[in-house]
């Protein structure tokens, strides 16, 4: 039977971990364990999550005869050939980026962006017969919450052998590389996230709308954070301290003191580093929330040396991609915001001469149906992803072009009655995508096997889009 004091200690520490460190800062906790790991050059990885299920089939469009199949399947949703920015792949021929994404086309043409074709959650390579026979399928296909979690954990079921994020595995490796520093190497600009969850290490949540400030007022716990901003924090901390004192357990009091001390040190380090690296303002519309998040990411990347970090991991998110209705009207704004954010961020990273050590990539709940529901698209499965940066072996499409035809399509999951659904079965697994990025960050094969247990089901475990 577990000691009730230990149970109370865990509860108090969990509450402390979620409290803000200072204005705009919170820390999400792991258990503090970490394994030894080897380290190489300084590197930063940025996950750009497009929440809601992004219609990537209208971001990157096939050319040649496949365009005709694409147009016939998408009907009124299809992008006109005149609205495409033509690019080519040496093996697979012509494609086109949506004209609303000129910055992605520019990076592709500069060989700094690769397209991962038809990628999604998979437990093992899956055929149409496997889908129809429900053989080893990911849990709750086409459901937002489950598919987001499976994408971010690389698992096949929500409570499977890997309940932690594969970004969390990278952050554990990063923590080992960074040594004994005040700030965790993993940051979310969008609150809590499964992608950075780890049993071993913390991650910091930052609010891009609020400047990071020091904690202060150490002689009065209720004044640590300005009441006008976070009026309940001092009261909550007072209650926690009182409970710790009432327990009569010095371990709880020591744990609270250590947590508060770490919070103070982390906030001071972040404040000092960010003040030293304001960076020129990225050029973007002030209402672009994704660009605002990425600007803070750029400042933290520029602050790697001041923070004592060899490795960093970041999570940002852009919502609004669940385009069941009014897709034709909504997509231009979404694509314009994504294009602006990615372009301004990469230009900033180029400007501080850190392009070769920063890699960014997109992810989403799932792709969308090729077919129209009359006013938009429904939840799909596979979709295209984009990875970019100076270390990316770009200017090419990773994976085979899927079949876009509406009849006898071997890549289509199909409706229950056997009719065309336009839900494409992925050919590239999130596990393969994750493993390729994780290796670039220096994660060992043993760590990969633990973080991505289904990776062993795929013959190709490195997709080859990252340069050494």
């Amino acid at each position: 039977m577990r000691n009730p004091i230990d149970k109370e200690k865990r509860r108090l520490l969990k509450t402390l971990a979620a409290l803000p460190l200072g204005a705009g800062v919170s820390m999400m906790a792991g258990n503090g364990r970490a394994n030894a790991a080897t380290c190489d050059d300084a590197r930063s990885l940025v996950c750009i999550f497009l929440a809601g299920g992004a219609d990537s089939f209208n971001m990157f469009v096939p050319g040649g005869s496949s365009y005709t199949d694409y147009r016939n399947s998408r009907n009124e949703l299809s992008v006109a050939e005149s609205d495409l920015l033509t690019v080519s792949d040496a093996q697979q021929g012509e494609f086109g980026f949506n004209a609303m994404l000129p910055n992605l086309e520019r990076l592709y043409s500069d060989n700094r962006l690769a397209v991962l074709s038809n990628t999604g959650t998979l437990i093992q390579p899956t055929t149409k017969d496997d889908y129809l026979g429900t053989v080893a399928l990911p849990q709750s296909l086409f459901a937002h919450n489950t598919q987001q979690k499976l994408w971010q954990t690389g698992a096949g079921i929500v409570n499977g052998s890997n309940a932690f994020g594969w970004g969390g595995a990278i952050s554990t490796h990063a923590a080992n590389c960074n040594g004994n520093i005040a700030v965790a190497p993993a940051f979310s600009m969008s609150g809590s996230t499964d992608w950075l969850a780890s049993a071993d290490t913390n991650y910091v949540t930052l609010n891009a709308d609020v400047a990071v400030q020091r904690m202060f007022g150490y002689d009065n716990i209720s004044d640590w954070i300005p009441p006008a901003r976070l009026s309940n924090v001092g009261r909550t901390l007072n209650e926690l301290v009182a409970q710790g004192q009432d327990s009569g357990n010095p371990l709880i009091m020591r744990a609270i003191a250590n947590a508060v001390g770490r919070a103070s040190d982390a906030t001071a380090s972040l404040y000092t580093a960010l003040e030293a690296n304001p960076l020129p303002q990225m050029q973007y519309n002030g209402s672009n929330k994704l660009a605002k998040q990425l600007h803070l990411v750029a400042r933290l990347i520029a602050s790697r040396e001041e923070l004592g970090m060899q490795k960093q991991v970041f999570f940002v998110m852009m919502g609004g991609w669940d385009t069941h209705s009014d897709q034709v009207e909504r997509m231009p704004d979404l694509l314009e915001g994504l294009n602006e954010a990615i372009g301004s961020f990469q230009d900033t990273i180029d400007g501080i001469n850190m392009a070769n050590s920063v890699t960014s990539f997109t992810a989403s709940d799932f792709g969308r149906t090729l077919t129209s529901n009359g006013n938009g698209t429904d939840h799909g499965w596979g979709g295209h992803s984009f990875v970019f940066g100076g270390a990316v072996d770009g200017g090419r499409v990773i994976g085979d072009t899927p079949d876009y035809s509406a009849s006898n399509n071997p890549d289509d999951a199909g409706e229950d009655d056997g009719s065309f659904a336009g839900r494409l079965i992925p050919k590239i697994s999130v596990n393969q995508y994750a493993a390729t990025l994780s290796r670039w960050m220096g994660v060992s094969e043993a760590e990969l096997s633990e973080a991505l247990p289904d990776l062993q089901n795929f013959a190709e475990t490195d997709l080859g889009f990252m340069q050494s």
Side-chain angles (χ1 to χ4, degrees):
M1 182 176 179
R2 290 181 175 176
N3 188 323
I5 294 290
D6 291 338
K7 182 177 180 180
E8 180 67 7
K9 176 184 174 183
R10 286 193 298 273
R11 187 189 69 76
L12 291 174
L13 290 179
K14 184 176 181 180
T15 305
L16 271 171
L19 284 172
L21 306 185
V25 189
S26 300
M27 181 178 291
M28 309 303 291
N31 68 13
R33 292 184 290 109
N35 300 317
T38 57
C39 301
D40 47 23
D41 297 333
R43 291 177 178 177
S44 300
L45 184 67
V46 184
C47 175
I48 302 172
F49 201 86
L50 308 179
D55 189 355
S56 53
F57 296 131
N58 271 11
M59 298 182 191
F60 189 72
V61 175
S65 61
S66 291
Y67 177 81
T68 301
D69 291 335
Y70 157 86
R71 184 187 60 208
N72 291 339
S73 293
R74 303 227 86 183
N75 295 311
E76 75 278 4
L77 296 177
S78 63
V79 182
E81 286 184 286
S82 59
D83 290 330
L84 294 174
L85 305 172
T86 302
V87 297
S88 63
D89 174 87
Q91 279 72 47
Q92 301 191 62
E94 286 192 350
F95 296 87
F97 279 95
N98 192 304
M100 301 292 293
L101 298 173
N103 286 325
L104 275 67
E105 183 274 330
R106 170 173 59 92
L107 289 168
Y108 184 97
S109 297
D110 289 344
N111 297 324
R112 297 199 295 161
L113 180 146
V115 179
L116 273 75
S117 176
N118 196 19
T119 302
T121 57
L122 288 171
I123 294 175
Q124 63 184 33
T126 300
T127 65
K128 187 167 186 174
D129 286 341
D130 292 332
Y131 174 76
L132 295 175
T134 63
V135 176
L137 299 180
Q139 181 181 355
S140 300
L141 284 173
F142 323 132
H144 284 295
N145 57 344
T146 301
Q147 292 305 301
Q148 281 192 12
K149 187 174 182 70
L150 298 189
W151 229 110
Q152 294 179 29
T153 61
I157 58 176
V158 169
N159 294 315
S161 56
N162 177 25
F164 297 106
W166 54 272
I170 300 173
S171 72
T172 296
H173 172 75
N176 292 326
C177 292
N178 294 345
N180 187 23
I181 60 175
V183 185
F187 301 85
S188 170
M189 309 301 157
S190 187
S192 62
T193 169
D194 290 314
W195 189 63
L196 291 176
S198 170
D200 302 320
T201 52
N202 302 323
Y203 67 92
V204 176
T205 67
L206 296 173
N207 184 343
D209 292 318
V210 180
V212 174
Q213 296 183 2
R214 294 175 183 270
M215 294 176 68
F216 62 92
Y218 302 103
D219 57 329
N220 185 342
I221 196 168
S222 64
D223 290 335
W224 280 355
I225 299 173
R229 291 188 177 180
L230 297 166
S231 60
N232 67 327
V233 173
R235 175 179 52 78
T236 303
L237 285 171
N238 271 323
E239 291 173 357
L240 288 169
V241 171
Q243 291 176 42
Q245 291 171 335
D246 290 344
S247 73
N249 187 341
L251 292 178
I252 293 180
M253 291 304 299
R254 191 181 309 146
I256 291 173
N258 288 340
V260 170
R262 288 195 302 271
S264 173
D265 291 344
T267 305
S269 295
L270 283 171
Y271 175 84
T272 300
L274 290 173
E275 284 291 300
N277 290 283
L279 291 185
Q281 177 68 34
M282 281 179 13
Q283 299 302 306
Y284 63 87
N285 184 313
S287 63
N288 190 325
K289 294 181 180 180
L290 178 61
K292 188 175 292 187
Q293 293 176 61
L294 287 171
H295 184 231
L296 182 52
V297 169
R299 292 180 64 196
L300 288 162
I301 291 172
S303 303
R304 274 194 312 218
E305 185 174 346
E306 285 85 355
L307 291 169
M309 291 182 177
Q310 183 83 344
K311 310 278 188 182
Q312 298 171 310
V313 193
F314 300 94
F315 179 87
V316 299
M317 187 166 70
M318 178 184 183
W321 295 94
D322 195 17
T323 50
H324 283 289
S325 61
D326 301 323
Q327 176 162 322
V328 172
E329 293 78 18
R330 292 168 59 190
M331 282 295 285
D333 286 342
L334 290 166
L335 296 179
E336 183 179 17
L338 178 66
N339 177 75
E340 180 183 53
I342 286 177
S344 58
F345 173 70
Q346 190 60 52
D347 287 346
T348 300
I349 296 301
D350 293 347
I352 58 176
N353 298 315
M354 299 180 80
N356 290 338
S357 66
V358 179
T359 296
S360 307
F361 68 97
T362 67
S364 191
D365 318 18
F366 35 63
R368 303 199 73 81
T369 55
L370 290 176
T371 54
S372 169
N373 61 21
N375 198 21
T377 53
D378 293 324
H379 300 173
W381 191 354
H384 304 321
S385 296
F386 309 101
V387 56
F388 58 95
V392 174
D393 185 8
R396 61 197 186 106
V397 178
I398 309 299
D400 296 332
T401 302
D403 193 326
Y404 289 90
S405 62
S407 61
N408 300 316
N409 187 330
D411 295 332
D412 177 47
E415 299 287 7
D416 292 340
D417 62 3
S419 61
F420 181 65
R423 292 188 178 98
L424 298 188
I425 301 169
K427 296 301 180 184
I428 293 177
S429 166
V430 172
N431 282 257
Q432 296 167 288
Y433 193 12
T436 307
L437 291 166
S438 298
R439 285 194 186 93
W440 181 75
M441 286 293 289
V443 176
S444 70
E445 295 303 311
E447 291 167 324
L448 276 179
S449 296
E450 183 177 356
L452 301 167
D454 293 334
L455 183 63
Q456 63 182 339
N457 299 331
F458 299 88
E460 188 177 21
T461 63
D462 193 316
L463 298 174
F465 57 77
M466 295 304 300
Q467 304 177 55
S468 58

